[in-house]
Amino acid sequence: MLLKDKVVIVSGVGPGMGQALARIAAAEGAKVALGARNEDFINTVAEEIRSGGGEAVAVSTDIGNAGQCAALAKATVDAFGRIDGLVNTAYIHGAWVTVDEADPEDWAKVFDINCLGALRMTQAVLPAMKAQGGGAVVNVATMSQVNPFPGEGGYATGKGALATMTKHMAKDFGRFNIRVNATRMGWIGGKPVYDYIHGQVANGADREAVVNEITGRIPLGIIPPEEECAKSVLFFLSDYAKVVTGATLDVNGGQYMAP
């Protein structure tokens, strides 16, 4: 099992890849702590993990609040005794507008969650990781940083800052044997993307044409399933990545290939 006996926190456990990360981490042997603002949803996912024989706790968490991040970290240590891994996947998108029409205040809110929220959450787990002699953090970013998509300027800028911060975290935390890496996600075959497709169809578009427009840009010819995307993220928490830090992995079916 990839994460046997590890304790993993997943922030931003929503109906998209967040819940897949939590479920797969548990299936791979981890004890999982789930954080998100939707308390009912994370309680449901945690109960499903426990019903399947796994171990999980859920704590309502707004990563815009340092105190709530600290509470999630404390609840994890209280329940499981340590913190081996953190996945910073919580985000907000902000307004879908081009940069010329962007509201700087909207961008500030996006930056506060997408970048500074990950900083707050990482700082919250640092004492436990330092005390036990190491750990691993994965920051989930986006392909839009390097392959712009109309309307995602604010979201991509916040995630771009997160990717830059990843390298500084890796440099600064290395002396504590704490690894920090990032993943750049593309289209993810889960509820948010399928809702987008359904919305296009509801507005009169042909479903096959919408899907083909997306997959036509992806060398593998598919919308990458969220379960497979989640596995790529969780790899960085595993012992197979013990000497990998400061890296960024493109998880997008080949749509964007870093030089």
Side-chain angles (χ1 to χ4, degrees), residues 229-245:
C229 294
K231 291 174 186 175
S232 296
V233 174
L234 294 172
F235 158 76
F236 277 129
L237 299 184
S238 78
D239 289 344
Y240 285 103
K242 262 191 171 181
V243 294
V244 181
T245 194

Side-chain angles (χ1 to χ4, degrees), residues 18-51:
Q19 55 80 29
L21 285 162
R23 295 179 201 275
I24 294 172
E28 290 289 345
K31 301 171 184 177
V32 186
L34 294 71
R37 289 176 293 180
N38 189 332
E39 187 171 9
D40 289 341
F41 184 82
I42 58 174
N43 282 334
T44 297
V45 176
E47 180 54 37
E48 290 174 359
I49 289 172
R50 290 191 290 265
S51 296

